[in-house]
Amino acid sequence: MKIALCNEVLRPMSFEEQCSLAARLGYDALEVAPFTLKDDPLQISDAEAKEYARVAHDHGLTVSGLHWLLVAPEGLSIVSTDRAQRERTVRVMERMVELCAVLGGRYLVHGSPKQRSVPEGSSAAEAWERARDCLAQAAKRAEACRLVYCLEPLSPRETDFVNTVEDAVRMVTEIGSPGLKTMIDCSAAGQAEHVSAPDLIERWVPTGHIAHVQVNDPNRRGPGQGEMRFGPILRSLLTMQREGRYKGIIAVEPFDYAPDGPGCAAYSIGHLRGILQEIESDE
């Protein structure tokens, strides 16, 4: 089971410093938030992206994928009543897909809660239709680039749009593109779902709709820094992986860094590797 670290955990280190530390801690990859590379990710050239990929490779890492796609530039929305604003957002989404491909990534995670929450004066159904159109265009570009664009379920405390895997699967099914799937964020699942994370994995991974899993506690800290038990989660994923039903990796994505970013990254990988070793010794 390969493990990535979401790179914003190590800000404000340079990208090379992030790679160096992540590699020394035992991570296999970085999952990159584009705004950490440049204030306006649209200004990242293909040449610059290739250089970032080279730096990661030189440290024995890969860029596994991208997340936090619509944080910058400002003013993006997939549900806005303003068609021009949505069209601009789609252009950003498509460029993030292209950027991910150049970086060597395999997936993109569409969280960005503020940029998808139902706007005042709109119904949930109207927002759904607008979002579906935007996501369908991103999925088409992802399919062309042989990547997977993942719509991330998020908790109601973050957004009122797509809170459960079932919600996301409905969107994935309606669009019907191999370029669009969903994923499981353990923190969000622990807050929004009515079943446990392992049960969620058992229910949805075999359907082929789940392309990625982010590991974090519902308290928004790293794995092992809260009450969620990650042993059953990793056991389920390992079983699915060995059976060929889960082909993704897992990514550490805390939001509350305790004691700090590097310390949280170190604790998280130690906790996860310890569980994996225990599973292997039991077999």
Side-chain angles (χ1 to χ4, degrees), residues 6 22 71 89 124 167 198 206 211 223 238 256:
C6 292
V71 172
T89 302
D167 293 339
L238 277 172
D256 180 6

Side-chain angles (χ1 to χ4, degrees), residues 54-93:
R54 183 197 65 76
V55 170
H57 182 268
D58 286 351
H59 286 85
L61 304 175
T62 62
V63 174
S64 58
L66 302 182
H67 69 290
W68 277 26
L69 306 179
L70 302 184
V71 172
E74 293 184 358
L76 302 178
S77 173
I78 62 172
V79 293
S80 172
T81 58
D82 185 341
R83 179 182 294 274
Q85 185 179 15
R86 297 198 308 275
E87 290 175 347
R88 176 170 173 259
T89 302
V90 168
R91 290 195 295 272
V92 173
M93 295 161 73

Side-chain angles (χ1 to χ4, degrees), residues 155-174:
S155 72
R157 65 181 286 184
E158 297 177 278
T159 182
D160 56 2
F161 188 86
V162 181
N163 301 124
T164 66
V165 172
E166 186 172 7
D167 293 339
V169 168
R170 176 190 161 202
M171 180 67 79
V172 169
T173 302
E174 287 186 12

Side-chain angles (χ1 to χ4, degrees), residues 151-154 162-172 182-185 189 192-193 200-201 203-205 207 209-210:
L151 175 59
E152 180 181 19
L154 292 173
V162 181
N163 301 124
T164 66
V165 172
E166 186 172 7
D167 293 339
V169 168
R170 176 190 161 202
M171 180 67 79
V172 169
T182 185
M183 49 85 65
I184 296 171
D185 177 283
E193 301 283 355
L200 206 62
I201 291 167
R203 167 67 180 88
W204 291 108
V205 169
T207 69
H209 293 308
I210 304 296

